Amino acid sequence: MKIVVVGGGASGMMAALISAKEGAQVTLIEKNEKTGKKLYITGKGRCNLLNLCSETEFLDNVVTNSKFLFSAIHKFSPQDAYSFFEKMLPLKVERGNRVFPLSDKSSDVLKAFSEALKRYSVKVVLNCNVLAIDGEEYAYIVKTDGGEYSADRVIVATGGKSYPSTGSTGDGLIFAQSAGLEVTKTYPALCPLYVKEDVKLLEGLSLKNVSLTAFCGQKEVVSEFGEMLFTDKGISGPIALTVSSYVNKLDSVTLSLDLKPALNNEVLDKRLIRELDNPDRKFLKSVLRSLMPMRLVEFVMTRAGFKKDKPTGEITKAERGKILSVLKGLKFTVSKVGDYNCAVVTSGGVSVKELTPCCEAKKKKGLYFVGETIDVDALTGGFNLQAAFSTAYAAATSASHDGNRQ
């Protein structure tokens, strides 16, 4: 069985390695000068390989088309992935069940992959651009700028469009369209949010234990609790990235930031009254400093319509209500989500309706699409790489045998 894997990222290396382990003759074609270029920068260079959770928890963290991954995650679960990589290099499990290499170096993951590919005689062709995939029914010709490769099966693992500097430029989606497959519209996902309000003064300010809720019109879309970071033009950080994956296809999105989610309005109002009655706090800004970071005080006062030197003794009940509304719901209007240059993953891709559970094209037997080429995306924490590995495993075990293992 001759298999050509197009793309040497996470899913491509996994697909090539599993295919070779299953006895296939494998050629891995990569357009860059080395494999795993995007994998190298994941987890801020530490490489969050996967999330050691249950299959149900994994599917709960998939934003788009989670049902499609049911079969793949059953074939190659997070526990299976952990056992697989544990044999290749030392691992560790951190907060939230996130799995990293013990060394905290993504380069060690790439080295382990490289050694395994070599051990199983995978032919790795670098600096080679695939131009087209011709043929059908288990007889394909992969045309490149360095020659042609014949194959019984082709596994396309070229990624999506996020971080194009790593080579992810949507090539696989073009191959899919050329094969007559439907490709859904793509969007950047897990990326910063830009807002219309001027937040330059807050750039670099990090907030913990806050709640961010997104609305489309009057309808609540998603609400996340955790950490966030102000940028010069908007917000980023874990909860902002998560929210972006739910609003990237929507228009007219507003955000409500609850600075004190652990306190309801009644409890917070009582605390505010105590602070206002404190004789040591002559001005409103000193009261607000007891409730939030100093850099946020002026911003909040401006949004609530107060002057910088507003005396505490002059605060009316109605004005106290204004303060509460800002503390519990600081409003922002999303102007846009970040682009592909800063998006962790791509939302959209080859329609799951076009693929079998083993990621084979229904219209083109022997042609597979895995990883980020598929219209599937998940949240941060190792879930997207797990999806890449599971779809690659499903495709490879199917492609490596005469007759598909559905």
Side-chain angles (χ1 to χ4, degrees), residues 114-192:
S114 180
E115 291 174 350
L117 292 170
K118 187 178 296 184
R119 187 162 60 251
Y120 283 92
S121 302
V122 174
K123 181 181 179 181
V124 179
V125 182
L126 302 174
N127 294 305
C128 185
N129 285 291
V130 172
L131 306 176
I133 301 172
D134 292 338
E136 55 185 284
E137 290 294 324
Y138 310 119
Y140 292 93
I141 299 295
V142 179
K143 297 181 178 179
T144 79
D145 56 6
E148 297 183 350
Y149 297 84
S150 61
D152 302 304
R153 312 282 194 273
V154 177
I155 301 175
V156 180
T158 52
K161 296 181 178 180
S162 57
Y163 287 115
S165 60
T166 64
S168 296
T169 50
D171 298 357
L173 308 185
I174 297 173
F175 300 146
Q177 288 173 324
S178 297
L181 307 186
E182 178 189 351
V183 174
T184 64
K185 187 175 180 180
T186 60
Y187 300 85
L190 295 179
C191 49

Side-chain angles (χ1 to χ4, degrees), residues 168-222:
S168 296
T169 50
D171 298 357
L173 308 185
I174 297 173
F175 300 146
Q177 288 173 324
S178 297
L181 307 186
E182 178 189 351
V183 174
T184 64
K185 187 175 180 180
T186 60
Y187 300 85
L190 295 179
C191 49
L193 296 167
Y194 294 89
V195 299
K196 293 181 180 180
E197 292 76 12
D198 186 356
V199 293
K200 288 182 181 179
L201 290 175
L202 302 177
E203 182 181 2
L205 176 63
S206 178
L207 300 178
K208 295 182 179 181
N209 302 319
V210 296
S211 179
L212 185 67
T213 303
F215 294 87
C216 184
Q218 299 299 314
K219 183 180 179 181
E220 181 179 323
V221 179
V222 64

